[in-house]
Amino acid sequence: MQTEIYADGIGEITVTGSVLRIDLVSLSATERDAAGAPKAAFRQRIIMPLDGFANASDLIQKVMQGLIEAGAIQRRAPEAAAPAVVPDRAPAPNGAPHRNTSPNFA
């Protein structure tokens, strides 16, 4: 059996020479920011060579295009400063934030 890893997003990507590191983050069950929202906490790191990342990036772009064509997601206009952790879904139609539906949070 293979171990599965869940992450709410990517916290940081670092390049050192020919090696790329992707830090995966999940929302903390105990730590909150000033607004009361769960903070992103480091969980695990993916380390790969740059050519492996380039191949992965091509595959991710193909999957994104398929999701857009299927209507599963919509492209948003780029924001002036992208957040460190990108939400996994768009805001609710009325502009209210989504309630966290993760089984890890009450």
Side-chain angles (χ1 to χ4, degrees):
M1 174 164 180
Q2 298 293 324
T3 302
E4 293 184 6
I5 299 168
Y6 174 83
D8 287 308
I10 295 173
E12 186 174 11
I13 297 176
T14 307
V15 177
T16 306
S18 62
V19 177
L20 181 122
R21 291 171 173 80
I22 302 171
D23 291 347
L24 302 177
V25 297
S26 293
L27 298 177
S28 173
T30 57
E31 295 183 52
R32 305 281 179 185
D33 64 14
K39 284 186 176 183
F42 173 81
R43 296 295 181 221
Q44 198 141 15
R45 179 174 290 143
I46 298 171
I47 303 170
M48 62 176 48
L50 292 179
D51 60 338
F53 177 73
N55 292 336
S57 178
D58 289 342
L59 180 59
I60 289 170
Q61 288 301 318
K62 289 176 185 174
V63 171
M64 283 288 297
Q65 190 58 41
L67 291 170
I68 291 168
E69 290 172 4
I73 60 174
Q74 295 179 358
R75 276 228 187 254
R76 295 187 310 198
E79 298 176 17
V85 178
V86 178
D88 63 350
R89 57 186 168 220
N94 63 2
H98 281 285
R99 184 179 187 289
N100 189 338
T101 57
S102 169
N104 297 320
F105 302 96

